[in-house]
Amino acid sequence: MSALSSSDRSRRSVLRAAAGLAALGPLAACGGNTGREGGGSGKNLVQYFHAYGEAGTEQAIKRYAKAYDGANVSTQWITGSNFESKLFSALLTKNAPDVFEFHPQIQMVKSGQVAPLDDIIDPVKDDFNPADIASHTIDGKVWGVRMIDDPQFLYYRPSLLEKAGIEPPGTLDELVEAAAKLTTGKVKGLFLGNTITPVMNPLIWATGADTLTDSNEIAYHTDEVAAGLGKLRTMFKAGHLLLDAPADWWDPSALTQGLVAMQWCGMWAMPVIQKALGDDIGIIPFPVAAEGGKPAVTNGGWSMFVNAKAKDVDLAKEYVKWLWIDQKKYQEDWALSYGFHIPPRTSLAASATKLKSGLPAEGVKLFTDYGHFDNPAWTQAMIVALEGVVADSVRKGGDPEAALDKADATVGRELKKLFG
């Protein structure tokens, strides 16, 4: 499924917002009846989903919920670009959802917002991608059930590269050169999102660095990352980046409509891209950005969590178990019928014939070889801080070192709050 229908991590949660009660106003208009009154079973649950872009997704989630006979499950399908702030604000109120989708983040555990799910996931733990289990494990407990894994990479038009006489870029320097040669007339060479922020983490990884060390200290502030930001600035200043696309990076329309030769997007968009462009499409990871670096792929995705303050936590856990652990037919439908996603269940991934050949198989290989999963210690405030680095150094042309220093202050405060 694509991003919010209007990022970052994944895909759909690109526009991160700090939680605030100001979001409660828009929230009231998003969902209609909360489902907390009446109903045939006498029991009610509310689940929150952000608005996926692919046709049929909202209907599918509501169809699954309707099939559950343990409670009346109402779905809040949150439209707009600030799902995070609406979710976090709602969690502070009596109308908070019982279950919700999000990404594993340690502050939700430390603030007591989510309930541990070991009792429902332990029997099938070995059937999940170990990296997904690891990213959802905090203080020895598992706090969420992964629904889909979503690799993100660079799509390119082989015909346009051939016409320009270039090969798919393997280094950041080659990407800068390619963007220049592919920018012709109304076609820009490269689309990295309207804010360019989706590739901040891939840039870090491609230099050989990381966001945090294993001991939860700042790891992204290196000379190589600063130099990489300068190269993004080069493309920006030269006018080789598409910056005003009608839809942002999670939507493939910039590529399919011929506005760009290369675009950063997710595997979820692959069926739409193939339908529009046929065989004239290829994929590569974010290219090596420094000596000793490696290509990088963002492994985004979404997971289900249970509100620790739900009126009936056990019922909420039963529903999550029923849908995202027991009902493999729904899990497969969700992963493969509305876009391409990699099922986090290894048994489902093994039987996913749509991902076994051609471009989808290449996507799975990039996911396996170069993918970076969620770091639960990397919080919303840290995400926003690095988005600020891109804004300050790439879009505004400020000194990358100064921008990284500014981010260090925010990230340092967050780390101190979390780990002392």
Side-chain angles (χ1 to χ4, degrees):
M1 289 97 198
S2 71
L4 293 165
S5 59
S6 64
S7 85
D8 176 7
R9 166 176 321 262
S10 65
R11 138 181 118 77
R12 296 186 304 269
S13 57
V14 182
L15 299 178
R16 306 286 183 172
L21 291 176
L24 286 175
L27 179 63
C30 286
N33 183 5
T34 65
R36 293 196 182 277
E37 298 177 359
S41 74
K43 297 179 179 179
N44 302 286
L45 293 172
V46 174
Q47 60 180 357
Y48 271 25
F49 278 78
H50 81 282
Y52 288 69
E54 293 83 342
T57 49
E58 180 179 6
Q59 292 81 1
I61 284 295
K62 291 180 177 179
R63 184 173 72 251
Y64 308 156
K66 188 175 181 180
Y68 181 62
D69 60 11
N72 299 307
V73 182
S74 175
T75 302
Q76 292 268 7
W77 193 255
I78 310 295
T79 60
S81 60
N82 55 342
F83 171 72
E84 290 85 353
S85 65
K86 292 176 180 179
L87 169 65
F88 293 161
S89 295
L91 287 172
L92 301 176
T93 75
K94 64 180 180 180
N95 290 321
D98 302 286
V99 301
F100 56 90
E101 67 170 359
F102 202 60
H103 317 286
Q105 292 195 0
I106 194 171
Q107 84 267 19
M108 294 197 303
V109 174
K110 289 188 174 292
S111 63
Q113 287 179 316
V114 291
L117 304 180
D118 302 83
D119 51 341
I120 67 172
I121 206 168
D122 274 350
V124 294
K125 199 172 183 178
D126 292 342
D127 190 37
F128 275 83
N129 185 319
D132 280 321
I133 293 295
S135 67
H136 290 69
T137 300
I138 300 167
D139 296 335
K141 297 179 180 180
V142 179
W143 300 87
V145 178
R146 194 65 147 186
M147 301 182 295
I148 44 176
D149 282 323
D150 280 333
Q152 302 163 23
F153 25 65
L154 279 168
Y155 287 88
Y156 67 91
R157 297 279 302 275
S159 64
L160 298 181
L161 269 65
E162 183 179 355
K163 185 177 179 181
I166 56 177
E167 296 292 326
T171 67
L172 183 54
D173 286 332
E174 291 174 358
L175 183 65
V176 174
E177 181 182 353
K181 290 184 176 179
L182 292 166
T183 298
T184 58
K186 294 182 179 180
V187 178
K188 294 290 187 179
L190 180 61
F191 183 43
L192 300 176
N194 287 327
T195 63
I196 318 174
T197 55
V199 297
M200 182 66 202
N201 281 18
L203 170 64
I204 292 168
W205 299 323
T207 66
D210 206 341
T211 50
L212 299 173
T213 66
D214 290 342
S215 55
N216 293 311
E217 297 174 336
I218 289 172
Y220 58 81
H221 193 157
T222 68
D223 291 344
E224 291 78 12
V225 169
L229 289 164
K231 292 172 184 179
L232 294 182
R233 171 65 182 175
T234 296
M235 291 188 285
F236 177 92
K237 190 174 181 181
H240 301 152
L241 299 180
L242 178 65
L243 299 170
D244 54 357
D248 215 337
W249 69 278
W250 55 76
D251 186 304
S253 57
L255 190 70
T256 60
Q257 294 175 10
L259 302 179
V260 291
M262 298 184 290
Q263 176 178 341
W264 184 262
C265 196
M267 189 168 172
W268 58 85
M270 199 173 281
V272 171
I273 294 173
Q274 288 183 304
K275 183 177 180 180
L277 301 177
D279 293 333
D280 189 25
I281 192 67
I283 53 173
I284 55 172
F286 192 90
V288 173
E291 186 176 350
K294 293 182 178 180
V297 168
T298 301
N299 282 345
W302 291 83
S303 310
M304 289 307 297
F305 297 88
V306 170
N307 183 358
K309 298 180 175 65
K311 292 182 179 178
D312 191 334
V313 171
D314 288 338
L315 178 63
K317 288 166 69 172
E318 286 173 16
Y319 172 66
V320 171
K321 176 181 181 297
W322 174 83
L323 180 51
W324 298 111
I325 292 178
D326 297 340
Q327 302 300 315
K328 282 194 171 184
K329 63 177 182 179
Y330 292 149
Q331 295 159 37
E332 183 178 33
D333 181 65
W334 189 239
L336 299 170
S337 296
Y338 313 96
F340 285 164
H341 316 266
I342 300 175
R345 300 286 291 273
T346 52
S347 58
L348 287 178
S351 63
T353 56
K354 292 181 179 180
L355 306 182
K356 294 299 182 186
S357 61
L359 201 65
E362 291 183 40
V364 173
K365 185 171 182 0
L366 293 182
F367 167 89
T368 303
D369 292 348
Y370 303 120
H372 292 261
F373 284 73
D374 297 291
N375 181 347
W378 193 246
T379 67
Q380 289 300 113
M382 298 177 194
I383 291 167
V384 172
L386 284 199
E387 289 177 344
V389 169
V390 175
D392 290 345
S393 64
V394 179
R395 295 184 63 88
K396 298 177 183 177
D399 176 36
E401 285 291 346
L404 290 166
D405 285 340
K406 182 180 176 182
D408 290 350
T410 298
V411 175
R413 285 194 299 270
E414 284 291 293
L415 291 172
K416 188 172 183 179
K417 283 193 294 185
L418 290 173
F419 303 108

